[in-house]
Amino acid sequence: MQTQQILEFVLDKIDDLKARDIITIDVGATSTITEHMVICSGNSRKHVQSIAEHVAYEAKEAGETPLGVEGKEDSEWVLVDMGPVVLHVMQESTRDFYQLEKLWQKLTPSSSDE
C-alpha cells in the first residue's frame, strides 16, 4: 500500500471500533521517522487496547504487518507503527497530560482535524 492508502486504512479501522477525537497530522516535513501521525482516544484501557489490536490484526490480514506495537501491557497509550503512518491510541487522561497533538501541530506547517 502507498502512504495515502495506509493512512485511509488506519482511519477506517479505528472508526470500526468507534475511536474518538481523531486527529491526523502531516509530519513529513519535520520527521524522518514517519509521514503522518494519527491520534485518537479510547474510552477505557480495554477500548484503547482493542482499537490498537484491531488495526494491527487487520493490517496483517491485508499484508501490511505493522513495524511494531508498543504499550499494550498498560493500554494507557498504545502506538502502532505502520511505517509511513504512526497511530497513537490514548486514554483521555493520558492524552490530556502529554498533549501530543499540540506539540506536533506547533512543529508542522500543515495539519488537519478529521
Side-chain angles (χ1 to χ4, degrees):
M1 280 190 244
Q2 299 295 325
T3 299
Q4 189 61 36
Q5 291 172 311
I6 293 172
L7 177 60
E8 290 170 8
F9 176 87
V10 168
L11 292 171
D12 181 56
K13 297 310 168 194
I14 63 177
D15 186 57
D16 287 351
L17 292 185
K18 308 298 183 216
R20 297 181 296 105
D21 304 321
I22 301 165
I23 293 180
T24 302
I25 305 170
D26 182 342
V27 296
T30 55
S31 173
T32 58
I33 297 169
T34 191
E35 304 265 336
H36 299 278
M37 282 196 188
V38 176
I39 305 168
C40 66
S41 296
N43 298 326
S44 64
R45 286 183 179 187
K46 186 62 179 167
H47 191 213
V48 167
Q49 184 180 38
S50 295
I51 293 167
E53 286 177 349
H54 179 67
V55 171
Y57 175 81
E58 291 295 327
K60 287 178 190 174
E61 290 292 307
E64 291 290 331
T65 302
L67 299 176
V69 178
E70 300 290 332
K72 283 191 337 183
E73 303 77 30
D74 294 327
S75 296
E76 289 186 31
W77 177 357
V78 182
L79 181 142
V80 181
D81 186 349
M82 296 295 298
V85 178
V86 174
L87 170 64
H88 300 269
V89 188
M90 307 170 93
Q91 287 190 50
E92 199 64 47
S93 59
T94 303
R95 188 170 177 177
D96 288 344
F97 181 79
Y98 288 101
Q99 298 184 6
L100 206 59
E101 56 266 44
K102 286 184 182 179
L103 170 70
W104 279 100
Q105 286 174 341
K106 287 178 184 176
L107 296 174
T108 59
S110 65
S111 59
S112 65
D113 293 338
E114 287 295 314

